[in-house]
Amino acid sequence: MGLYAFNCSEKLQTVNIRRGTCGHSVLSLGSMKTQWIWNKEKTKIVEPLDYENVIAQRKTQIYSDPLRDLLMFPMEDISISVINRQRRTVQSTVPEDAEERAQSLFVKECIKTYSTDWHVVNYKYEDFSGDFRMLPCKSLRPEKIPNHVFEIDEDCEKDEDSSSLCSQKGGVIRQGWLHKANVNSTITVTMKVFKRRYFYLTQLPDGSYILNSYKDEKNSKESKGCIYLDACIDVVQCPKMRRHAFELKMLDKYSHYLAAETEQEMEEWLITLKKIIQINTDSLVQEKKETVETAQDDETSSQGKAENIMASLERSMHPELMKYGRETEQLNKLSRGDGRQNLFSFDSEVQRLDFSGIEPDIKPFEEKCNKRFQVNCHDLTFNVLGQVGDNAKGPPTNVEPFFISLALFDIKNNCKISADFHIDLNPPSVREMLWGASTQPASDGNAKGSSPESVIHGIAESHLRYIKQGIFSVTNPHPEIFLVARIEKVLQGNITHCAEPYIKNSDPTKTAQKVYRTAKQVCSRLGQYRMPFAWAARPIFKDTQGSLDLDGRFSPFYKQDSSKLSNEDILKLLSEYKKPEKTKLQIIPGQLNITVECVPVDLSNCITSSYVPLKPFEKNCQNITVEVEEFVPEMTKYCYPFTIYRNHLYVYPLQLKYDSQKTFAKARNIAVCMEFRDSDESDGGPLKCIYGKPAGSVFTTNAYAVVSHHNQNPEFYDEVKIELPIHLHQKHHVLFTFYHVSCEISTKGTTKKQDTVETPVGFAWFPLLKDGRIITFEQQLPVSANLPPGYLNLNDGESRRSNVDIKWVDGAKPLLKIKSHLESTIYTQDLHVHKFFHHCQLVQSGWKEVPGELIKYLKCLHAMEIQVMIQFLPVILMQLFRVLTNMTPEDDVPINCTMVLLHIVSKCHEEGLDSYLRSFIKYSFRPEKPSAPQAQLIHETLATTMIAILKQSADFLAINKLLKYSWFFFEIIVKSMATYLLEENKIKLPRGQRFPEAYHHVLHSLLLAIIPHVTIRYAEIPDESRNVNYSLASFLKRCFTLMDRGFVFNLINDYISGFSPKDPKVLAEYKFEFLQTICNHEHYIPLNLPMAFAKPKLQRVQDSNLEYSLSDEYCKHHFLVGLLLRETSIALQDNYEIRYTAISVIKNLLIKHAFDTRYQHKNQQAKIAQLYLPFVGLLLENIQRLAGRDTLYSCAAMPNSASRDEFACGFTSPTNRGSLSADKDTAYVSFQNGHGIKREDSRGSLVPEGMTGFPDQGSTGENTRQSSTRSSISQYNRLDQYEIRSLLMCYLYIVKMISEDTLLTYWNKVSPQELINILILLEVCLFHFRYTGKRNIARVHDAWLSRHFGVDRKSQTMPALRNRSGVMQARLQHLSSLESSFTLNHSSATTEADIFHQALLEGNTATEVSLTVLDTISFFTQCFKILHFLKQFEGLWRQPCVKQVYWHHFSDSVCLHRVSVSYLGNSHNMRSLSLLYLLW
């Protein structure tokens, strides 16, 4: 072994226990108490190293290190990517020349927002920057958990089933059909040579097992063959030979091949046979072990012993035992390495939660997907049918054209919630009645075919004229939403007169001919005018979850009442429709075939409400579906940031009161024509921007409302949809022209009379803009008899004072009632937002700013509507950030701007919409370089203003909000810093030169400003202080990637210095939450620089440089891990909550290291484990809290001044010391200071005798957790099961992963007492991770249910304990509760499968722990050089007590727990123990 040999003589010369920086006697009460009190009085702060300087000075060492990936940050760790904006549409919804045509700053910014791609700062290893649950590995849990067999479970099965294995000698163990292969030297094993036989597995009276085969179930006949299982050494599956086949391997290299009929039967046979093989092997090994123990008592030399044992082994008749004796430890080590598992895989936290494959929380802005359904319109028929035009041979149709409009009405909220969907289901022959067969004029007067067909968004206009399928969406579905169909026809006369033929149809043929003749004349003369005719409705949803009522049908057609046409009247009628007894509506016979269905997943050929095609869309497709615009309720919870361009205005003429006008002689059949104009001059004309109805042009210049016959006060329900231009000015307005329509039909009339169908009877208008904003509230307008040029500038008052020739109808009274509805993503109706952007536009254009004007508009933004704030969130936020850095040099502007940002952020959080803020930061926010040469960048200005706000003494409300929502501002600062580095190419500079020194000072000042709000005001503002604590940690974690890491270390050090060991537990929790967040950095390992720092002299490099204690040098060189371990060391002396938090942080961090796919090589894991070597020292300091009476032996009482002989004799014999089977209620261990530790049961505390006031484990869980400040509970109070298992799991990870060279060096450096304690820790691991059996796991769970659910389990108590397994169960009943490690679903419905799964986890944990301990002990025995030791201390070795030291730790620990170790673990144990006997 050379330099690797363990220097025993040097170790045994003294037993004075070494005291390091954090060290003290592991078992000395006085020194630990003094150290703890000193720690409570003062926290020692270690200044971190200058990280950048160190890596520059040690560049050669780092680059030459084969594990340099653990020391260096990767190249190109950060980048900016431009992600194409994901669109539902085939092309952008923003018009091509939109930015050029836009003149308003607000409109420009909106268009820019909807056109710009996402700008994302990418951190290459961001997936590794969170908790272990967020690691990008597929799964933290093994795909298939091995199923180990334990003797304790077998013994339980013996008690519960008398017919089970080994239950009775001479009995049948198992029987069943198997296929047996006839194999000899001449016949190969194939499917043909298998014969079906009935097998009996029987145990003979001498305890051996035999497998007999018979021709059938009657075993009275002669056996066809028998297999003696004593000679069987293994059983394996043979899937290639035959399905469900397995092989019995015998000692003489002969095999028997059997096959079961089903896979389940095969598994059962395999389990039974493997148990028998293991029982045979164990019995032989036990016999030879007893032989060896007898030989051990002889006082011969160790060499002689080895020769005698080897000779005994050679004389053995069992080849397996001979094999054990011949194996080398190297082969044992390789054997133990097969199929090893990651111990953390079976941890309760890893098993309970698995976030692998989870989608990222932060998504780009997207259109809100509401409940959608598709409406398919098929046909409309009334009972007056006939042949129309040239359709003599076709089926009968309606004899006149009808027109349908569909819309959704919400009775519950008393409003209309969708736009109108217009459908034309008339057959071609009926459509020809309107305009004739040859030429079909469009609604704007242009004949079809007179010019090339226009294309709208790549779709031919003809494909958009007859759309019959629409998709409606509903944000808030509920059963009181109705789909209403309104039926219209060509204006003919009174509704009652026109409906009479359809209601009273005595002679269908004659009536149809009469109606057709009349309709043909009317259509040719009045085809563009409509009149209301009927309506129908049907419900849409079954419930509030949005379940469609697919079986619903439309109501009968109800005749439209000319006095009840408005939407309000329809809502009232729908309310009555739900109460049929109150409904007295006249029904028109007819049928409307419209189906409602869910939107297909693969829907294609759909267009938006603006006629922009959606993906996927086939070219030249004619069967198109259109999305009908939803009028989303104006509630904040339904709002979302706009992402697409949409600019629609809906205009509704409601009522005209013309009964008192005297201006016009005839004004009865009044038609309202609406136009959208951009000029009021005489030469101005209407704009072609009104959405047309079916059969006409897609866009037209005018739209008509329905006409009420002979009604001077008509009501209207029409909806006119206008595509607004990108730029609006004061001249844009809607013009209403009123016509009296002549309905007389004269067959003798001249052409001149035919041309005078309509007569103008008045004009009205309303401008779109008022104070720069679009007006959408309900208005009442006066009506003029004429339309002079410049009419927009006139009103009643001006007309009296001017010479303009205008004549008002009825004295300029408000005769026309209208309303409008805006659906625009580029115009806002909020006054404060409009004025703010307007002022910013004036300043940008060079307007001389009035001092204080901008601050006034900024303060007014606090009053903007929350809905507008959400809808235009990216636009408003980006403008505020421009103002923050660009607009003015006034000192108060940045603070006021930040206050508005704070108001927006707080409102979003209050409404539960903070996810939009995160999406904005990640995707939309792009810092812009200030236009002013001396202007600061966003991260500089924002950090400065945060300091100013935090230092205000008056506005505590603003301070509290800033603390609570500080994450937003820190994230903005981080993205601004990253963008600055990448776009300015500063990322290539040394980190110390990336940011100016002034900015470093700002960040330090910001941290100092935050500290008192956390450490002093934590009780006053608990949420705010906790939030800013986490936000600051996340910010500093990200700063490691961007700036000087040594500077960030100093910031962390300054922040932690603000805490004290005397702080309340809330602050202690804050501290560990802060450290946990910092330590989750993706490059946490390189930040700790796991490399050698000391300069080696004559010693080996590793010997001289190994840092194994929490010294100042260690904490300086490895700052983060040193800081975490020091804080954990203090926390372990605190109450339960603080201990739990500290231990969880350490364990979760090690779990993350263990599963980090970047560091899976054994050398990398070894280096990481070495970094945590001082953690072992922490466990040694607290060993008396980890070990109970069964593992902490009387060696603890050894005085410091003991001699070498006393040290060697400090252990009692296994026969007279306490063990797992000890059945005493109380025991005492004496300490050198005269005190004693009173040992209660395993759940009690270790309390110095004579001292009071130290609660046991139970009081720790109740009393200390209720205290708001940390209590002065003794550091010796017992850790609970979760804490112990977590700490030991961390210890096992370090021991397993650390390199052998490092482990040997560490053993050479520690004191003899610490070395013994290290071995005790291994035994403690075996004790706390022992497998207790399925029965005990179920019983513990039942006890947990009884306490938490009051479940009575008395009827489910265990059966009487009758034999050896029962005695062992009794001995294990004092085990600590395992409930903290349970992964079971704690409910009264826990199944046997849950218990089995938990037993599987516990079994694998116990197996892996035992193998890890065995690895460590085996390596220890190799390094110890026992033979060399005996040569130097031959006299000492002759003392029996010295021999017991080794036997105690290397043999008894394993044997005592053999019942709780799997057969696999026992196999490895016996192999190693055999070699250990040989050495002795």
Side-chain angles (χ1 to χ4, degrees), residues 6-14 1204 1428-1429 1432-1433:
F6 205 101
N7 196 343
C8 294
S9 59
E10 194 175 15
K11 291 296 169 187
L12 294 178
Q13 288 176 358
T14 178
R1204 183 188 312 160
H1428 176 69
F1429 171 85
Q1432 291 186 350
F1433 304 101

Side-chain angles (χ1 to χ4, degrees), residues 1292-1329:
L1292 289 168
Y1293 166 80
I1294 296 172
V1295 171
K1296 178 182 178 180
M1297 293 301 175
I1298 201 167
S1299 67
E1300 292 184 348
D1301 288 352
T1302 305
L1303 192 59
L1304 178 58
T1305 304
Y1306 175 62
W1307 286 342
N1308 273 289
K1309 284 182 173 291
V1310 298
S1311 67
Q1313 181 62 68
E1314 289 173 322
L1315 185 59
I1316 294 300
N1317 288 337
I1318 289 173
L1319 299 176
I1320 290 177
L1321 274 180
L1322 294 176
E1323 186 174 1
V1324 172
C1325 291
L1326 289 173
F1327 177 79
H1328 283 285
F1329 289 102

Side-chain angles (χ1 to χ4, degrees), residues 1132 1138-1148 1283 1286-1287:
L1132 287 178
I1138 307 306
R1139 296 198 311 264
Y1140 179 91
T1141 302
I1143 293 172
S1144 297
V1145 172
I1146 290 286
K1147 188 181 79 169
N1148 291 349
E1283 295 173 295
S1286 297
L1287 290 171

Side-chain angles (χ1 to χ4, degrees), residues 1183-1198:
I1183 190 171
Q1184 76 289 346
R1185 305 170 68 193
L1186 296 169
R1189 63 173 179 174
D1190 304 298
T1191 49
L1192 189 61
Y1193 302 105
S1194 57
C1195 64
M1198 182 186 60

Side-chain angles (χ1 to χ4, degrees), residues 264-508:
Q264 181 179 357
E265 291 181 1
M266 179 192 68
E267 292 291 340
E268 293 173 354
W269 277 104
L270 286 175
I271 292 173
T272 304
L273 293 172
K274 285 181 179 179
K275 289 180 180 179
I276 292 175
I277 294 171
Q278 188 65 41
I279 289 172
N280 291 336
T281 303
D282 288 347
S283 61
L284 289 174
V285 171
Q286 182 65 27
E287 293 174 3
K288 296 306 175 184
K289 175 185 173 183
E290 294 173 357
T291 303
V292 172
E293 286 179 341
T294 304
Q296 181 188 5
D297 295 335
D298 299 332
E299 295 185 3
T300 59
S301 64
S302 60
Q303 183 176 0
K305 288 177 184 282
E307 292 175 351
N308 293 336
I309 294 173
M310 184 60 69
S312 175
L313 292 176
E314 293 294 340
R315 292 192 300 269
S316 173
M317 297 300 295
H318 199 283
E320 282 298 303
L321 194 55
M322 296 172 62
K323 182 180 178 182
Y324 286 152
R326 291 192 299 265
E327 282 180 333
T328 65
E329 180 55 32
Q330 186 64 25
L331 293 177
N332 284 346
K333 181 179 178 182
L334 293 175
S335 177
R336 289 194 300 269
D338 291 340
R340 293 290 289 272
Q341 301 288 334
N342 191 326
L343 182 60
F344 287 127
S345 297
F346 310 110
D347 181 73
S348 59
E349 297 296 326
V350 176
Q351 286 289 325
R352 187 176 297 116
L353 298 173
D354 185 4
F355 295 105
S356 59
I358 193 171
E359 295 182 0
D361 293 332
I362 305 176
K363 297 180 181 180
F365 294 124
E366 56 187 6
E367 293 181 73
K368 210 164 189 178
C369 185
N370 302 319
K371 181 61 184 179
R372 288 153 51 93
F373 60 91
Q374 183 173 341
V375 174
N376 300 314
C377 305
H378 304 286
D379 59 75
L380 168 67
T381 55
F382 289 98
N383 63 348
V384 177
L385 302 176
Q387 306 294 336
V388 178
D390 298 333
N391 191 29
K393 297 181 180 180
T397 63
N398 294 322
V399 294
E400 62 177 322
F402 293 95
F403 312 96
I404 307 171
S405 67
L406 300 176
L408 293 176
F409 285 81
D410 186 343
I411 301 177
K412 182 179 178 181
N413 297 304
N414 198 40
C415 60
K416 181 185 178 187
I417 60 173
S418 80
D420 288 341
F421 176 36
H422 298 280
I423 309 107
D424 184 350
L425 297 177
N426 296 303
S429 57
V430 176
R431 291 173 187 161
E432 291 177 2
M433 296 173 61
L434 295 171
W435 309 110
S438 58
T439 304
Q440 180 180 346
S443 58
D444 59 352
N446 297 326
K448 180 181 178 182
S450 60
S451 61
E453 185 178 20
S454 60
V455 175
I456 299 173
H457 299 299
I459 306 174
E461 188 173 351
S462 59
H463 297 167
L464 300 173
R465 285 200 176 112
Y466 298 104
I467 297 177
K468 300 179 181 180
Q469 296 161 183
I471 294 179
F472 289 81
S473 60
V474 179
T475 300
N476 182 28
H478 55 82
E480 296 187 67
I481 293 178
F482 285 81
L483 179 65
V484 175
R486 281 186 167 115
I487 313 299
E488 301 172 0
K489 57 177 288 186
V490 176
L491 176 61
Q492 184 175 348
N494 183 271
I495 297 176
T496 302
H497 174 72
C498 295
E500 187 175 352
Y502 292 90
I503 298 174
K504 301 176 181 180
N505 186 6
S506 57
D507 188 347

